[in-house]
């Protein structure tokens, strides 16, 4: 049996604007993941910069920051066996235009820069990201 792990997920402003929050969250729950924390919020610039620290300074970063701070998003922490891999599999590849049908991106998004969701990619990034979005957890 694999140890339980936690991951951070963001349902980006496009997911909230398109009213896909319930649909997306239901996929996590159907997979057997447990919601540990969930909050609807609008990210400020400092939070965006901390979250996307490895991207700050790159040519695409200003658009990314503008997008993620443009409106409400849902931040959540999910927990379960192999949670990081399970969530990333549910999301599909980053390029929404070619993401597989059945994945969140494959079913609901056409645009790489408006790809609905973010998920931690490793235990270390999950720990860092959870601390940014849920410092009291």
């Amino acid at each position: 049996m694999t140890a339980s792990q936690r991951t951070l997920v963001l349902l980006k402003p496009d997911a909230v604007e398109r009213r896909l929050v319930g649909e997306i969250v239901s996929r996590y729950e159907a997979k057997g993941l447990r919601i540990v924390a969930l909050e609807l919020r609008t990210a400020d610039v400092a939070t965006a910069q901390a979250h996307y620290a490895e991207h700050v300074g790159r040519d695409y970063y200003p658009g990314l920051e503008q997008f993620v701070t443009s409106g409400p998003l849902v931040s959540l922490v999910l927990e379960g066996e192999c949670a990081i891999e399970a969530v990333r599999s549910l999301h599909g590849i980053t390029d929404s235009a070619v993401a597989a049908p059945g994945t969140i991106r494959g079913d609901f998004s056409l645009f790489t820069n408006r790809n609905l969701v973010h998920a931690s990619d490793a235990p270390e990034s999950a720990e860092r990201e959870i601390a940014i979005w849920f410092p009291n957890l």
Side-chain angles (χ1 to χ4, degrees), residues 10 48 52 55 58 62 64 72 76 82 95-96:
L10 300 178
Y52 290 113
H55 302 286
R58 296 195 178 158
L64 176 59
L76 61 155
C82 301
D95 186 347
S96 299

Side-chain angles (χ1 to χ4, degrees), residues 20-102:
L20 293 170
V21 173
E23 174 73 31
I24 294 169
V25 170
S26 72
R27 290 184 182 211
Y28 304 139
E29 291 182 315
K31 186 73 172 176
L33 297 163
R34 185 172 76 86
I35 298 171
V36 175
L38 184 146
E39 185 176 349
L40 176 70
R41 65 175 81 186
T42 300
D44 58 25
V45 170
T47 302
Q49 288 176 347
H51 179 80
Y52 290 113
E54 67 274 15
H55 302 286
V56 173
R58 296 195 178 158
D59 61 343
Y60 60 84
Y61 179 76
L64 176 59
E65 180 182 289
Q66 180 182 19
F67 171 59
V68 80
T69 60
S70 68
L73 58 75
V74 174
S75 54
L76 61 155
V77 176
L78 298 173
E79 182 176 73
E81 288 189 36
C82 301
I84 294 168
E85 295 83 3
V87 169
R88 292 182 68 80
S89 178
L90 287 169
H91 286 183
I93 63 171
T94 303
D95 186 347
S96 299
V98 296

Side-chain angles (χ1 to χ4, degrees), residues 5-6 84-85 121-128:
Q5 64 182 194
R6 289 183 174 179
I84 294 168
E85 295 83 3
D121 63 1
E124 300 77 20
S125 60
E127 185 177 335
R128 182 184 73 79

